[in-house]
Amino acid sequence: FLVDFYRHITPEKFYVEACDDGADDVLAIDRVSTEVTLTVKKDVPPSAVTRPIYGILGTIRLVAGNYIIVITKKKKVGECFSHAVWKATDFDILSYKKTMLHLTDIQLQDNKAFLAMLSHVLNVDGFYFSTTYDLTHTLQRLANTSPEFQEMSLLERADPRFVWNGHLLREFAAQPEIHRFALPVMHGFIAMHSCSINGKYFDWLLISRRSCFRAGVRYYVRGIDSEGHAANFVETEQIVHYNGSKASFVQTRGSIPFFWSQRPNLKYKPKPQISKVVNHMDGFQRHFDSQIISYGKQMIVNLVNQKGSEKPLEQTFAKMVNSLGNGMVRYIAFDFHKECSRMRWDRLQLLMDQLAEQQDEFSYFLVDSDGKVVTQQEGIFRSNCMDCLDRTNVIQSLLARRSLQAQLQRLGVLHVGQRIEEQAEFEKIYKNAWADNANACAKQYAGTGALKTDYTRTGKRTQWGLIMDGWNSLIRYYRNNFSDGFRQDAIDLFLGNYSVDEVESVSPLHIQKDWKFLALPIIMVVAFSMCIICLLMAGDTWTETLAYVLFWGTASFGTLAIIFYNGKDFVDAPKLVQKEKMD
């Protein structure tokens, strides 16, 4: 495909040359003063090292000085109303400084750690961009804009909630003349398919936009912050484009919106803690005020368990919606695991029936081929479970299908009495795209693919699906306890929640671990090994063997108990930003 830009490097400067027809602009970045200016092609020295790139993600300051991040590979996802949409698949992180000789060993080590964090975030699948289309807004938001808005650069008009490189582009944002070199990139999932039903061809799109406010990994980022931003907030839009008409249905998901936490402590499922010291109503009200401004009426669909450790969260949520007393916010709770236990997934129809009237009232957004708005979406389903991943995605795919059924009938693609479920070919595309959406959202938040995708893909719960869910749960357990602190730090660095300070004498990366962190696991391993050795090399009498085995067995289990009791000290916790200490 066409090269968007050329990157030229000289010892003094980085040059980025735009490759549009007739464009003579070249962006020049001084590697010493870090100044960004516009120049022309003839100013690029012939000695410069040149290679094609597809966009600038932005710049960031680390211990060694400034770095620029550029997109070096992209893959076409499809066309959105004849605008190409790309997925960025590879990046380069280039240092302004030519050597690292000015750093001490510890600074070098820190700089390496920060670079590893950036690479980690960039390696998580799901960065999308378009050079000609605004991916961060829904069709309804784009239809309700002013002529001034249309004139703005993509960076200026993008929804800041969904621009993942907003912090990296802050220097570019301050200089309007260089905006065409600054691409807003969203994080999430996009699927685009050309489909046909009854010989009628239409485009079907699914776009999930992950919010960069209160972003992070599942056990370290729960609930809301004081601004009312919910953790794992994702806006999902499903679009149909047929004969020039466009229809769109939008839903949101987000963590239960009050102050609670569920920090890892080596247990398989840490107990959620609701904060007792803050006023929940402030944040709760802020959250729903901003949701109502963005989307209109709110129908909360709470899918958590109504018994066990999740029960207090359901009760508090219901109570707070009541206290809010806002007619625009309604609430329904559906105990997904209880209702669908023993693979009775057909019972989800009960929930769909309860929501049907509400869904018809909210409607969907529709604009005809002349660009005239026929209907607006008046409200939104805000679904959540604990992680807002597996259960939530199943419900969202069912609500979206019901909306699609109405849209395709209205557009004349489906005949009266025809159901989407009967269109085998389309149904397969539909289910797989929603399962891929679940996987992408889960990898970005929990670190592994989603659970329950066998149901989303096939409409049935399978034995193999259960085995895969078990395997994913194991990996999730390991990551949540032993690698999520690093993942959280990486996201905080990338989004600018933490800024590297050049003069910082002691880096937060070097927090000394307590003695027990090393001693206890070693004692446990030794004791367990001795227990096994005593079993294999029997003593003179069985009583002697039994005594040894009991002694070492007790020692190993005792140490294990102490480790679990102090579980919080053994997990990999974030070091850069102290998230609200809720516990």
Side-chain angles (χ1 to χ4, degrees):
F1 10 84
L2 291 165
V3 175
D4 299 330
F5 304 97
Y6 282 112
R7 180 199 80 199
H8 311 282
I9 300 183
T10 69
E12 295 75 39
K13 289 187 177 178
F14 294 125
Y15 296 95
V16 179
E17 171 195 339
C19 300
D20 327 1
D21 295 338
D24 195 32
D25 284 347
V26 172
L27 187 73
I29 301 173
D30 191 301
R31 293 176 68 169
V32 181
S33 72
T34 73
E35 194 187 1
V36 183
T37 50
L38 271 186
T39 162
V40 289
K41 283 183 189 170
K42 64 173 192 302
D43 286 348
V44 180
S47 60
V49 179
T50 301
R51 85 171 266 200
I53 60 167
Y54 299 107
I56 299 173
L57 207 63
T59 59
I60 190 167
R61 143 155 259 123
L62 300 181
V63 185
N66 273 23
Y67 283 80
I68 184 170
I69 307 174
V70 294
I71 302 169
T72 53
K73 279 190 193 148
K74 64 177 183 178
K75 187 172 137 205
K76 189 165 182 181
V77 184
E79 303 255 327
C80 187
F81 319 122
S82 61
H83 297 278
V85 174
W86 307 92
K87 180 192 238 182
T89 54
D90 213 353
F91 305 87
D92 254 353
I93 308 173
L94 306 166
S95 172
Y96 285 33
K97 294 275 199 292
K98 294 176 273 301
T99 73
M100 296 289 158
L101 296 174
H102 58 297
L103 300 182
T104 63
D105 283 353
I106 288 185
Q107 286 177 316
L108 258 175
Q109 212 180 329
D110 284 355
N111 202 59
K112 229 175 172 163
F114 287 132
L115 281 170
M117 287 177 190
L118 290 180
S119 301
H120 173 81
V121 176
L122 295 170
N123 282 332
V124 175
D125 210 18
F127 289 102
Y128 298 89
F129 67 95
S130 168
T131 50
T132 52
Y133 185 76
D134 186 348
L135 287 173
T136 64
H137 286 291
T138 61
L139 290 188
Q140 183 157 317
R141 285 201 293 271
L142 288 174
N144 295 330
T145 54
S146 62
E148 295 86 66
F149 179 87
Q150 305 292 340
E151 293 300 302
M152 289 180 185
S153 68
L154 285 178
L155 181 60
E156 284 172 291
R157 54 184 265 183
D159 186 328
R161 294 178 300 167
F162 306 124
V163 181
W164 265 64
N165 55 340
H167 169 71
L168 301 176
L169 288 175
R170 71 203 177 291
E171 288 179 11
F172 286 50
Q175 295 173 258
E177 71 278 7
I178 60 174
H179 276 187
R180 54 185 302 248
F181 292 94
L183 272 182
V185 173
M186 67 156 255
H187 191 34
F189 175 76
I190 300 182
M192 301 182 162
H193 294 280
S194 292
C195 313
S196 119
I197 293 179
N198 298 328
K200 294 173 178 151
Y201 287 86
F202 60 94
D203 289 327
W204 179 78
L205 288 71
L206 187 61
I207 304 178
S208 277
R209 308 173 176 99
R210 169 172 295 282
S211 170
C212 59
F213 297 133
R214 198 160 172 72
V217 297
R218 76 168 178 167
Y219 281 147
Y220 285 111
V221 185
R222 293 292 207 195
I224 50 170
D225 61 16
S226 51
E227 304 291 305
H229 298 305
N232 194 20
F233 184 86
V234 180
E235 172 188 275
T236 301
E237 180 177 25
Q238 172 180 268
I239 298 172
V240 174
H241 185 206
Y242 173 67
N243 268 354
S245 294
K246 302 175 214 168
S248 132
F249 178 65
V250 180
Q251 306 178 66
T252 57
R253 62 175 79 185
S255 193
I256 296 175
F258 44 81
F259 298 96
W260 62 285
S261 64
Q262 192 181 13
R263 297 178 88 78
N265 56 7
L266 297 180
K267 294 198 173 71
Y268 178 65
K269 251 181 123 175
K271 196 173 173 201
Q273 311 277 341
I274 299 174
S275 171
K276 297 184 176 61
V277 291
V278 292
N279 178 354
H280 292 285
M281 208 56 195
D282 289 353
F284 190 80
Q285 190 149 8
R286 273 192 187 152
H287 176 73
F288 281 107
D289 286 350
S290 69
Q291 294 304 299
I292 290 166
I293 290 167
S294 297
Y295 305 107
K297 290 180 185 153
Q298 300 284 308
M299 180 75 207
I300 298 162
V301 184
N302 187 359
L303 304 166
V304 301
N305 300 345
Q306 288 167 30
K307 61 176 204 294
S309 65
E310 298 182 10
K311 180 182 177 180
L313 293 169
E314 194 278 315
Q315 290 173 321
T316 309
F317 202 171
K319 207 157 63 204
M320 291 191 66
V321 173
N322 253 340
S323 316
L324 187 67
N326 184 334
M328 300 282 280
V329 181
R330 295 180 208 162
Y331 177 89
I332 187 168
F334 180 82
D335 188 334
F336 189 107
H337 285 152
K338 183 180 143 217
E339 296 292 344
C340 304
S341 60
R342 298 198 295 282
M343 306 230 194
R344 297 188 9 240
W345 289 58
D346 48 281
R347 295 178 61 80
L348 291 173
Q349 198 47 50
L350 296 172
L351 176 63
M352 289 301 110
D353 295 343
Q354 278 175 288
L355 298 174
E357 192 182 331
Q358 191 75 65
Q359 188 169 9
D360 296 339
E361 183 197 318
F362 286 169
S363 188
Y364 46 83
F365 175 74
L366 178 65
V367 56
D368 66 17
S369 46
D370 302 328
K372 193 169 122 313
V373 174
V374 184
T375 61
Q376 302 253 19
Q377 187 175 330
E378 306 286 341
I380 200 155
F381 289 98
R382 183 205 189 278
S383 310
N384 73 271
C385 41
M386 288 296 280
D387 301 326
C388 309
L389 296 176
D390 317 322
R391 294 173 267 189
T392 297
N393 197 77
V394 170
I395 296 304
Q396 285 195 337
S397 71
L398 296 177
L399 285 165
R401 185 198 274 122
R402 195 171 173 276
S403 183
L404 188 63
Q405 173 80 32
Q407 292 164 10
L408 291 179
Q409 265 171 346
R410 184 159 187 174
L411 293 170
V413 174
L414 284 175
H415 305 321
V416 181
Q418 264 191 323
R419 301 201 49 73
I420 292 183
E421 289 88 332
E422 297 151 8
Q423 316 304 318
E425 202 175 315
F426 176 73
E427 184 71 350
K428 193 174 164 191
I429 291 174
Y430 181 87
K431 283 178 167 163
N432 279 317
W434 272 97
D436 292 340
N437 178 59
N439 270 335
C441 290
K443 280 199 180 105
Q444 289 155 17
Y445 187 53
T448 73
L451 312 180
K452 305 177 181 54
T453 49
D454 53 334
Y455 177 77
T456 320
R457 286 187 202 282
T458 60
K460 289 198 287 287
R461 199 74 167 99
T462 60
Q463 299 295 342
W464 176 245
L466 283 176
I467 294 167
M468 281 313 292
D469 280 4
W471 174 243
N472 269 331
S473 296
L474 260 177
I475 295 177
R476 271 188 199 184
Y477 172 78
Y478 174 80
R479 290 211 168 133
N480 295 155
N481 283 290
F482 305 113
S483 70
D484 269 3
F486 174 80
R487 288 178 56 222
Q488 183 61 50
D489 285 339
I491 292 168
D492 283 327
L493 176 70
F494 189 87
L495 293 175
N497 302 333
Y498 175 84
S499 297
V500 176
D501 188 358
E502 268 184 283
V503 293
E504 200 165 33
S505 50
V506 183
S507 148
L509 297 175
H510 299 286
I511 299 167
Q512 280 303 307
K513 283 280 189 192
D514 198 342
W515 64 269
K516 63 183 175 208
F517 182 75
L518 279 171
L520 288 172
I522 293 171
I523 295 170
M524 193 190 89
V525 170
V526 169
F528 188 68
S529 315
M530 289 303 289
C531 184
I532 300 294
I533 289 167
C534 293
L535 268 176
L536 296 176
M537 300 168 65
D540 299 340
T541 60
W542 68 269
T543 44
E544 193 184 341
T545 308
L546 186 65
Y548 280 132
V549 169
L550 279 176
F551 173 77
W552 290 113
T554 313
S556 53
F557 277 107
T559 333
L560 186 65
I562 297 170
I563 288 175
F564 266 88
Y565 182 74
N566 294 296
K568 282 198 176 72
D569 300 335
F570 286 88
V571 297
D572 173 39
K575 300 185 179 109
L576 300 184
V577 179
Q578 294 306 313
K579 295 276 168 230
E580 286 82 13
K581 283 274 179 270
M582 301 311 307
D583 24 42

